[in-house]
Amino acid sequence: MKNLVITEEIWKEGNVYIAYCPELDVVSCGKSIEEAGKNLLEVIEIQLEETARLGTLKTFLEEAGYDLNTSQPTLQLDKQVVAFNQRTIALGAL
């Protein structure tokens, strides 16, 4: 069995926490950070199970950028999050 390394981004919108996995383009939410993260993992597990059932798991993971031909027990992308920044940009004519 292989492991999959993902990124979990969590932000707050109103009273809800949103959890997003950019590698797999999967999103979920919850009433707390913990619930949002737990729900995201559940959605990802369902996505992986369903694509495996349909016979499209390999394609799904390859399209996400994972190298399935590696002998490594853990699949991860050749990128690493190093920072998140908020910036303000002038909108000009608006």
Side-chain angles (χ1 to χ4, degrees), residues 13-29:
E13 289 185 12
N15 295 328
V16 177
Y17 290 90
I18 308 298
Y20 176 63
C21 172
E23 293 89 351
L24 302 177
D25 196 26
V26 175
V27 67
S28 190
C29 63

Side-chain angles (χ1 to χ4, degrees), residues 5-68:
V5 175
I6 62 157
T7 304
E8 178 184 81
E9 296 177 12
I10 299 179
W11 64 92
K12 189 172 183 181
E13 289 185 12
N15 295 328
V16 177
Y17 290 90
I18 308 298
Y20 176 63
C21 172
E23 293 89 351
L24 302 177
D25 196 26
V26 175
V27 67
S28 190
C29 63
K31 294 179 182 177
S32 67
I33 292 171
E34 295 77 17
E35 182 179 2
K38 178 180 162 276
N39 290 344
L40 178 66
L41 292 178
E42 185 176 317
V43 170
I44 290 171
E45 288 172 358
I46 292 168
Q47 178 74 31
L48 296 175
E49 289 170 2
E50 285 300 305
T51 54
R53 187 181 65 77
L54 295 170
T56 59
L57 178 59
K58 182 177 177 181
T59 301
F60 176 69
L61 292 174
E62 286 174 340
E63 287 178 354
Y66 290 96
D67 178 10
L68 303 182

Side-chain angles (χ1 to χ4, degrees), residues 67-94:
D67 178 10
L68 303 182
N69 296 317
T70 182
S71 61
Q72 298 296 318
T74 301
L75 301 176
Q76 64 185 45
L77 300 182
D78 288 335
K79 68 175 188 173
Q80 188 177 66
V81 177
V82 294
F84 282 98
N85 299 309
Q86 280 190 319
R87 298 186 185 259
T88 302
I89 300 172
L91 293 176
L94 287 180

